[in-house]
Amino acid sequence: MPDLFDIDEAALQSKNKVRIDELSKLIKKYQDSYYNGEGEISDAEFDKLWDELKNLDPDNPILHKVGQDSGNFQKATHIMMMGSQEKAATPEQFLSWAQNHVYSEYLVEYKLDGASLELQYENGLLVRAVTRGDGTVGDDITKNAKKMQGVQAALFDKNFNKIPFTGGIRGEVIMTHKVHKTLFSDKANCRNAANGLMKRKDGSGSENLTLITYDALSSDDFKPFSDEEEKIKWLSDAGFNVVPLEICKSAQEVIEYRSRVMEIRKDLDYDIDGLVVKERAINLQDASRARPDRQIAFKFSLEEAVSVLRSVEWSESGATYTPVAVFDPVELAGTTVQRASLANPDTIRALGISIGSHVVVVKRGEIIPKIEGVIEGEGTLSPIDFPEKCSVCGTKLTDDGSRLYCPNKDCSKRILHRLLKWVSVADIRDLGETLIHALFESKVVRSVTDIYSLTEETLTPFFLNEESIASDKKSLGASKVERSINSHRRLSLAQFVAGFDIEGIGETTVEKLVASGIDTLEKLLNAPEEQIAGVYGFGQIMAHTAKLGLEENKEEMLSLVEKGIIEIIQASGGKLAGKSFCFTGELTTMKRADAQNLVKLAGGQIKSSVTKDLSYLVTNDTSSGSSKNLKAASFGIPVISEKEFLEIIRQ
């Protein structure tokens, strides 16, 4: 009998096979509609399907085919292979390709977003115009092509001498934005409109299309060019529209050029969806492949745009002042974005950013966009103003590079923020934010210690008016808050330290220190900065911040523990020490936060995702085909119910 792992592995493979079949059908469907002028989805959406199939089944036959034209025209064979290109959607992906393709020069051209067409010439006369088809055979649309702007029926040089060229010239049929707006605004986009017009049987509308060329191949002994740059110049001299050509000396220059093109892209007369990067030498063997290796399509991502920085606002949270960039609105992943975090002063300095800078904004799966780089641009630049004093207490702010903050530990803004953080981490739910603000403004609570001195008597005035108090009326709310406070006096070391609101030091961060052996408050307070910096996930900057925060709060931390106000549960002695739990789905007997707290108090760890070192996945739907369940099964991790979890806790 196969074991559970074998069964789940088979289930996973079966699920993947279903998805592979689904992707293959979708890609074929969208290819057919695209090449027949009725494109249904955007290039970016198509690329996502393509990449997913490539990850699941890299040898799938559909990945090595192009599209197929309709049966409305005579078929013709290409002179040059019209295959697909390798793609890079991010600078990181492009650099990865460039590491294996080191050229002394990178020739970079626009990647046109239209419909491919090959013009075939014999001794300088156009004899055939063939669409892309399946990459080898396409539709003969010569009559339509001759009506297009930029198609030369005969080839002549600048001196009007006939050019005896026999071979193929490849270009992209595009529709300009002006033509689309004035004549074909009912079509979804320029590419779809161009595809549809060029395939009309009667040829009507082809005169509104334009051909832009970028490749040529001679099929006889006449060789009018010897490299890619000369090829573009020859095409231009022969009267063709050509793509702009940029020569970059390094991969980084290519990335910088891409950023500049992204900025002017919206002002071009036609659509482009990326760049084509190749070497100077003409490599016929590589070009004959269905998917050439020596060149790549460096595409523009929907999650990346160029804008202009207009101002920087400073967000205040506790002691820290965080810079937020405000720029001209741009579209990113389907949403309009005009703000992005700049993280800290060092980020501003490292980017070399100023008001008026042209910036690259990214949103790669992140909730909050960020500025990734600065590119050269025209316009007046002015420096970013940094706040100098705390807006609340007036203390001169400290700029240590990784952080701009108020150093005054008695600053009322800092104290209030710490109180709110403590209540959140300690999970004192009945002590709400409004009540904390009222207690703070009344000077009843000014420290973490003060929270645990609250009684029903001191809390009652915040629930009842004077008349009710005078009549000795009891406050159920005050009583409930007091009970809630007193039931949250036992905390893990991670909760205890995280509650003091030290910049960047949360529960997960402290748990890393505990796991490294710094597992008591005494050890933590006495640990040298170098020891903290050596813990995985830390570094010199975070260690320095942690050490400063611990020193600043040392007195109150020790007082809370030594006076018995707070009991720190040591993880090393917990029955779940060394165990980790991940919760998914709804629980029935308690809230997820309460279940996670039970694990922490017993010395265990909480994980937000399924990893190889996870001990248990807890769910009330243990037999579901969810991604977490399948992943846990693939790693051999036990998937247990809420009931089984509680039995482990009670043991």
Side-chain angles (χ1 to χ4, degrees):
M1 177 183 292
D3 60 24
L4 178 62
F5 182 85
D6 290 334
I7 294 172
D8 287 318
E9 182 67 28
L12 182 60
Q13 290 178 356
S14 176
K15 184 177 180 181
N16 284 344
K17 185 178 184 303
V18 171
R19 181 57 177 163
I20 288 169
D21 290 342
E22 181 182 18
L23 288 167
S24 299
K25 291 175 182 177
L26 285 172
I27 288 173
K28 185 178 185 307
K29 172 189 173 185
Y30 293 136
Q31 274 185 332
D32 290 345
S33 64
Y34 172 82
Y35 289 110
N36 290 302
E38 299 295 334
E40 300 175 51
I41 61 174
S42 69
D43 272 5
E45 292 171 311
F46 182 83
D47 285 345
K48 287 181 180 178
L49 297 175
W50 184 282
D51 291 340
E52 184 183 353
L53 180 59
K54 188 174 180 180
N55 286 331
L56 289 174
D57 186 16
D59 297 322
N60 193 289
I62 198 75
L63 298 174
H64 305 283
K65 293 181 180 179
V66 189
Q68 190 168 358
D69 288 312
S70 67
N72 296 329
F73 297 88
Q74 291 288 327
K75 300 300 177 183
T77 302
H78 295 147
I79 291 174
M80 62 181 79
M81 170 67 73
M82 290 178 119
S84 300
Q85 291 173 309
E86 288 294 337
K87 299 188 300 294
T90 67
E92 292 79 12
Q93 291 175 2
F94 171 70
L95 287 174
S96 177
W97 175 84
Q99 285 179 350
N100 298 317
H101 300 80
V102 180
Y103 306 148
S104 59
E105 294 176 315
Y106 293 87
L107 275 66
V108 188
E109 303 167 352
Y110 287 176
K111 183 179 182 300
L112 302 165
D113 190 13
S116 293
L117 186 68
E118 181 185 75
L119 303 181
Q120 298 181 357
Y121 289 86
E122 291 181 5
N123 198 29
L125 296 177
L126 177 65
V127 295
R128 214 169 285 108
V130 187
T131 61
R132 186 178 190 179
D134 64 2
T136 302
V137 175
D139 285 343
D140 182 345
I141 61 166
T142 308
K143 289 184 179 180
N144 292 0
K146 286 182 176 180
K147 297 179 181 180
M148 297 176 188
Q149 306 297 314
V151 173
Q152 305 297 322
L155 302 183
F156 296 90
D157 62 21
K158 289 183 176 180
N159 297 318
F160 301 103
N161 297 313
K162 184 179 178 183
I163 301 174
F165 175 79
T166 297
I169 291 174
R170 183 175 177 181
E172 202 86 352
V173 178
I174 60 98
M175 176 179 286
T176 64
H177 294 154
K178 182 179 180 180
V179 169
H180 181 258
K181 182 178 180 180
T182 56
L183 299 176
F184 301 99
S185 59
D186 59 316
K187 299 294 183 181
N189 52 54
C190 294
R191 184 197 66 193
N192 281 12
N195 243 318
L197 286 185
M198 65 186 278
K199 300 288 186 64
R200 284 183 176 175
K201 194 69 175 175
D202 62 2
S204 63
S206 290
E207 65 276 8
N208 295 303
L209 303 177
T210 299
L211 181 74
I212 301 177
T213 63
Y214 51 85
D215 203 0
L217 176 66
S218 175
S219 56
D220 61 14
D221 294 333
F222 178 67
K223 307 295 181 185
F225 43 81
S226 60
D227 63 32
E228 292 289 347
E229 184 180 16
E230 288 183 8
K231 181 190 294 181
I232 294 296
K233 184 178 184 305
W234 179 80
L235 285 168
S236 178
D237 290 345
F240 290 103
N241 301 312
V242 296
V243 289
L245 175 67
E246 182 80 5
I247 300 176
C248 299
K249 299 297 184 182
S250 67
Q252 187 58 43
E253 279 191 27
V254 175
I255 293 172
E256 292 169 1
Y257 176 62
R258 174 175 175 266
S259 296
R260 296 197 298 273
V261 174
M262 283 169 57
E263 187 171 14
I264 66 170
R265 176 187 178 192
K266 62 182 180 297
D267 299 320
L268 296 177
D269 293 334
Y270 48 84
D271 290 333
I272 63 174
D273 59 359
L275 304 173
V276 175
V277 185
K278 59 181 71 172
E279 61 187 324
R280 175 177 286 275
I282 295 175
N283 192 319
L284 296 179
Q285 182 178 358
D286 188 62
S288 66
R289 296 174 178 170
R291 204 169 185 83
D293 172 68
R294 303 289 294 176
Q295 59 179 265
I296 192 168
F298 192 179
K299 303 199 75 173
F300 301 138
S301 170
L302 286 176
E303 300 175 340
E304 196 173 347
V306 175
S307 186
V308 178
L309 182 68
R310 298 302 179 187
S311 65
V312 171
E313 299 174 354
W314 292 85
S315 174
E316 301 177 32
S317 178
T320 305
Y321 288 68
T322 302
V324 178
V326 181
F327 42 83
D328 292 339
V330 291
E331 290 293 320
L332 284 178
T335 60
T336 301
V337 176
Q338 63 183 104
R339 297 165 65 85
S341 174
L342 283 169
N344 55 49
D346 270 353
T347 299
I348 292 175
R349 298 183 185 106
L351 287 170
I353 194 171
S354 302
I355 304 300
S357 290
H358 292 231
V359 295
V360 179
V361 188
V362 299
K363 188 182 179 185
R364 296 189 182 119
E366 299 176 21
I367 297 174
I368 302 175
K370 69 176 181 179
I371 304 292
E372 186 174 76
V374 178
I375 60 177
E376 294 181 6
E378 299 178 356
T380 303
L381 302 181
S382 57
I384 295 171
D385 291 328
F386 284 51
E388 297 180 355
K389 294 183 178 180
C390 176
S391 62
V392 174
C393 69
T395 302
K396 180 178 174 57
L397 298 179
T398 297
D399 180 355
D400 66 4
S402 63
R403 184 177 172 223
L404 183 67
Y405 65 97
C406 173
N408 178 15
K409 69 175 184 178
D410 296 320
C411 175
S412 59
K413 180 180 65 172
R414 290 190 61 184
I415 295 172
L416 177 59
H417 198 270
R418 182 184 303 128
L419 294 173
L420 292 169
K421 181 65 177 288
W422 179 272
V423 169
S424 173
V425 173
D427 200 27
I428 310 174
R429 296 176 196 164
D430 295 307
L431 185 54
E433 186 172 334
T434 302
L435 180 54
I436 281 287
H437 275 272
L439 291 165
F440 179 77
E441 295 297 332
S442 302
K443 295 183 170 41
V444 174
V445 172
R446 305 290 292 187
S447 68
V448 172
T449 303
D450 288 342
I451 292 175
Y452 292 91
S453 66
L454 292 172
T455 64
E456 182 179 344
E457 183 180 356
T458 55
L459 286 165
T460 295
F462 296 91
F463 288 88
L464 301 179
N465 57 32
E466 292 182 3
E467 182 180 346
S468 297
I469 294 173
S471 63
D472 292 330
K473 186 174 182 181
K474 294 289 184 180
S475 169
L476 295 177
S479 176
K480 187 177 182 181
V481 170
E482 182 184 22
R483 289 196 306 272
S484 183
I485 292 171
N486 289 326
S487 65
H488 291 83
R489 293 177 179 266
R490 301 175 74 243
L491 304 174
S492 68
L493 180 60
Q495 290 174 304
F496 181 79
V497 175
F500 277 88
D501 197 27
I502 300 171
E503 177 71 17
I505 309 301
E507 284 186 68
T508 303
T509 311
V510 183
E511 284 170 354
K512 292 178 181 177
L513 295 174
V514 172
S516 75
I518 311 176
D519 54 5
T520 68
L521 180 59
E522 182 181 10
K523 289 180 182 178
L524 191 56
L525 293 173
N526 294 326
E529 193 172 305
E530 294 72 21
Q531 183 183 3
I532 296 175
V535 174
Y536 175 76
F538 278 75
Q540 204 60 51
I541 293 175
M542 188 183 291
H544 181 66
T545 303
K547 195 63 182 175
L548 287 178
L550 290 168
E551 287 294 331
E552 183 178 275
N553 295 286
K554 180 177 180 179
E555 185 178 344
E556 187 174 15
M557 285 180 169
L558 290 174
S559 175
L560 284 167
V561 175
E562 290 170 357
K563 291 179 180 179
I565 296 173
I566 296 294
E567 179 188 356
I568 296 179
I569 307 301
Q570 300 300 332
S572 58
K575 59 188 175 183
L576 295 183
K579 302 291 185 182
S580 57
F581 293 75
C582 176
F583 292 84
T584 183
E586 293 185 6
L587 301 180
T588 57
T589 63
M590 65 181 74
K591 293 185 177 180
R592 184 182 295 186
D594 291 329
Q596 292 174 335
N597 200 42
L598 287 175
V599 172
K600 294 174 184 177
L601 291 177
Q605 286 187 307
I606 296 297
K607 291 185 178 291
S608 59
S609 60
V610 176
T611 57
K612 289 183 179 180
D613 59 347
L614 182 69
S615 302
Y616 297 97
L617 175 65
V618 183
T619 174
N620 279 326
D621 192 2
T622 56
S623 61
S624 81
S626 70
S627 59
K628 283 186 176 179
N629 281 25
L630 291 172
K631 194 170 184 180
S634 70
F635 289 144
I637 296 168
V639 180
I640 62 174
S641 66
E642 180 181 351
K643 181 180 178 182
E644 291 171 309
F645 164 71
L646 291 174
E647 289 174 355
I648 292 174
I649 291 292
R650 296 187 187 111
Q651 286 176 358

